[in-house]
Amino acid sequence: MFGHMLGVLFNPESEWQKLGALPDRDVKKLLPFPIAMALLPAIAFYVGSTITGWEVLGKATTRMTPDSAIPISVLFYTAIM
């Protein structure tokens, strides 16, 4: 899948034709990659908002509770998918 990502970015027309010509069994092998890659931003949001937090104008660090960050992370993943 990663080999196709560069092709889609730099030469999308021919790369999508190559992807369209793949047999169904090869397409099914490629499906887990975007599903797993979509998890990365949701996990990063969870870690960033609960552990790291953020500051506004140098004031105290604000963090979310895990109970409030989990539903937002799940919705974030759902929106990406």
Side-chain angles (χ1 to χ4, degrees), residues 23-73:
D24 286 342
R25 62 181 167 79
D26 290 343
V27 172
K28 288 179 183 176
K29 288 180 186 176
L30 296 175
L31 190 58
F33 289 104
I35 293 171
M37 295 302 282
L39 277 171
L40 295 177
I43 293 170
F45 169 79
Y46 178 81
V47 170
S49 62
T50 57
I51 297 171
T52 307
W54 63 91
E55 291 181 15
V56 179
L57 299 175
K59 295 185 180 178
T61 302
T62 304
R63 292 182 183 89
M64 294 178 75
T65 63
D67 291 337
S68 61
I70 288 174
I72 296 172
S73 297

Side-chain angles (χ1 to χ4, degrees), residues 1-29:
M1 182 64 191
F2 293 112
H4 292 292
M5 286 174 32
L6 289 176
V8 169
L9 286 173
F10 294 114
N11 196 2
E13 188 173 331
S14 66
E15 196 65 33
W16 281 113
Q17 288 176 354
K18 289 178 191 175
L19 286 169
L22 289 175
D24 286 342
R25 62 181 167 79
D26 290 343
V27 172
K28 288 179 183 176
K29 288 180 186 176

